[in-house]
């Protein structure tokens, strides 16, 4: 059985041609799935009944199921999606007045192992397919009945280590005949693999690139982001500059503030010197405490002074609002609470 969300529109046309069907049937199927959110072929009422049955025997639209749900008082919804092999990943919807953002996972677990993140505690079990990445949009849409306007690939996993599936999923979500989300509203977040950033810059996709920097010098970054041991900040900045030169899109630098670790005035000054060399925005993120992880959030005064120091140096800095604090907000927490780990 093939996963419909894993195949391209032209492959769907071929699949239907093998059933003796004209090409326009593919358009009808995609409209049902993407525009109307109908994932059961039996409900696709403008298709002949025998075709609906034949499609159901060959293709499946949803391969996972929401196994747990956590709702925060501010409207953030977090789902644990269990896949057909029993592995599970988290996906999050963050609603706001004029936008609704889906935060999607790209791997089961994460091989990067950031010292402050629950998703990396158990390593990685496998990559998600493009269809599994996309399917999270459908589970979120049914769980929260909101139209998704923005997507961030910032959940579990490192998108650039699952490059082909990530790019295929992004192409589907920005395709007007499928997801129809503006590419400018799609963000790929990476800890930074210079060669893959350069490759992404050469795709015809005007997406936003976010680099998870988290430290303003190589020594501290190697402690906080183990996978960065082999990648210097210099190499990362060069790749980010290349991305801007190719795509004309400002890069976002993500920086999780950890109390007493990377929130000092000296760190702010070092970060400012790096960021001023790029066309970029800086996103500061207040650390969300994670059981079993030895870090604390920054003090409010340290956070404010860090932010002001960057702003005084002319940087475009945002403090990302802390959302979903009562919904196991930190990446990987819901999965651990539900006893899912990649070593099971
Ligand atoms: S913060 Fe992101 S890259 Fe780091 S371990 Fe967690 S999921 Fe992986």
């Amino acid at each position: 059985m093939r996963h419909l969300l894993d195949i391209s529109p032209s492959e769907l046309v071929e699949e239907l041609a093998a059933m003796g069907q004209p090409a326009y049937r593919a358009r009808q199927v995609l409209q049902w799935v993407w525009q109307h959110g109908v994932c059961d072929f039996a409900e696709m009422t403008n298709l002949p009944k025998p075709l609906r049955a034949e499609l159901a025997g060959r293709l499946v639209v949803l391969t996972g199921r929401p196994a747990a749900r956590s709702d925060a008082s501010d409207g953030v919804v977090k789902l644990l999606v269990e896949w057909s092999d029993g592995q599970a990943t988290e996906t999050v919807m963050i609603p706001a007045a004029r936008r609704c953002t889906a935060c999607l996972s790209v791997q089961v677990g994460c091989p990067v192992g950031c010292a402050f993140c629950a998703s990396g505690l158990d390593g990685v079990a496998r990559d998600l397919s493009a269809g599994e990445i996309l399917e999270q949009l459908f589970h979120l849409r049914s769980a929260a009945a909101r139209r998704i306007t923005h997507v961030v690939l910032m959940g579990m996993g490192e998108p650039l280590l699952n490059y082909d599936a990530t790019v295929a999923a992004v192409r589907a979500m920005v395709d007007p005949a499928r997801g129809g989300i503006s590419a400018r509203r799609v963000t790929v977040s990476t800890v930074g693999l210079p060669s893959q950033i350069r490759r992404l810059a050469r795709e015809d996709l005007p997406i936003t690139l976010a680099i998870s920097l988290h430290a303003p010098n190589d020594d501290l970054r190697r402690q906080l982001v183990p996978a960065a041991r082999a990648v210097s900040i210099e190499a990362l900045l060069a790749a980010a500059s290349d991305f801007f030169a190719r795509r004309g899109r400002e890069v976002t630098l993500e920086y999780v503030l950890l109390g007493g670790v990377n929130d000092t005035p000296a760190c702010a000054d070092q970060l400012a010197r790096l960021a001023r060399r790029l066309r970029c925005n800086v996103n500061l993120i207040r650390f969300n405490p994670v059981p079993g992880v030895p870090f604390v959030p920054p003090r409010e005064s340290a956070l404010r002074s860090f932010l002001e120091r960057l702003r005084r140096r002319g940087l475009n800095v945002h403090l990302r609002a802390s959302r979903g604090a009562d919904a196991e907000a930190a990446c990987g927490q819901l999965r651990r609470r539900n006893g899912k780990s990649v070593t099971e």
Side-chain angles (χ1 to χ4, degrees), residues 3-321:
H3 191 182
L4 177 81
L5 299 175
D6 253 335
I7 64 177
S8 66
S10 56
E11 287 172 314
L12 181 58
V13 168
E14 283 168 22
E15 188 81 28
L16 283 155
M19 297 179 227
Q21 295 294 324
Y24 73 85
R25 293 288 185 210
R27 196 172 59 248
Q28 289 178 311
V29 170
L30 292 177
Q31 273 172 353
W32 278 113
V33 171
W34 283 99
Q35 263 101 72
H36 307 299
V38 170
C39 298
D40 182 349
F41 293 109
E43 293 174 21
M44 300 182 183
T45 49
N46 60 355
L47 302 182
K49 272 194 177 164
L51 174 59
R52 291 183 231 168
E54 199 174 355
L55 282 168
R58 287 175 175 245
L59 295 166
V60 60
V61 183
L62 300 181
T63 60
R65 63 170 192 101
R69 171 178 176 146
S70 180
D71 286 74
S73 49
D74 59 4
V76 169
V77 177
K78 184 177 249 196
L79 298 179
L80 185 72
V81 179
E82 187 173 297
W83 303 106
S84 50
D85 61 359
Q87 296 287 1
T89 52
E90 293 180 357
T91 187
V92 185
M93 178 178 274
I94 306 149
R98 290 165 54 190
R99 60 195 278 166
C100 186
T101 303
C103 177
L104 309 182
S105 293
V106 295
Q107 294 179 303
V108 178
C110 184
V112 176
C114 295
F116 50 83
C117 174
S119 287
L121 286 176
D122 300 311
V124 65
R126 68 170 174 88
D127 292 339
L128 294 186
S129 67
E132 288 169 330
I133 296 170
L134 291 167
E135 189 176 318
Q136 296 166 62
L137 295 170
F138 290 80
H139 292 300
L140 287 172
R141 196 157 76 171
S142 340
R146 282 282 304 259
R147 194 173 70 83
I148 290 161
T149 59
H150 293 68
V151 172
V152 292
L153 295 173
M154 244 178 227
M156 300 168 73
E158 164 54 56
L160 298 189
L161 286 176
N162 186 14
Y163 188 90
D164 291 342
T166 294
V167 169
V170 171
R171 288 198 187 288
M173 63 183 79
V174 306
D175 178 357
R178 289 181 281 170
I181 296 170
S182 162
R184 304 176 87 80
R185 295 176 170 183
V186 175
T187 299
V188 172
S189 173
T190 175
V191 295
L193 303 153
S195 59
Q196 297 295 65
I197 290 174
R198 289 195 162 86
R199 192 174 160 200
L200 189 63
R202 282 154 183 78
E203 305 280 353
D204 184 22
L205 286 170
I207 53 170
T208 299
L209 176 72
I211 294 181
S212 301
L213 195 64
H214 305 322
N217 59 67
D218 285 327
D219 283 347
L220 184 55
R221 192 159 195 267
R222 285 181 186 123
Q223 293 169 41
L224 298 179
V225 186
R229 278 190 196 112
V231 178
S232 68
I233 290 177
E234 275 307 314
L236 211 46
L237 293 191
S241 297
D242 180 68
F243 187 90
F244 176 77
R246 290 257 163 197
R247 299 255 55 97
R249 305 274 299 144
E250 287 193 350
V251 172
T252 299
L253 296 182
E254 306 274 348
Y255 194 99
V256 171
L257 282 163
L258 305 163
V261 175
N262 64 355
D263 64 345
T264 62
C267 284
D269 292 345
Q270 281 184 312
L271 176 60
R273 279 196 291 278
L274 295 176
R276 281 168 59 94
R277 292 167 50 196
L278 281 180
R279 289 288 299 272
C280 69
N281 301 297
V282 179
N283 259 0
L284 299 179
I285 305 144
R286 195 193 312 256
F287 172 67
N288 263 322
V290 179
V293 169
F295 294 103
V296 294
R299 280 183 291 110
E300 193 60 29
S301 57
L303 189 151
R304 290 285 150 202
S305 106
F306 197 96
L307 182 99
E308 284 314 315
R309 264 182 122 81
L310 295 182
R311 286 203 172 137
R312 275 204 303 276
R313 284 157 180 78
L315 291 166
N316 193 9
V317 190
H318 305 279
L319 176 60
R320 200 192 294 162

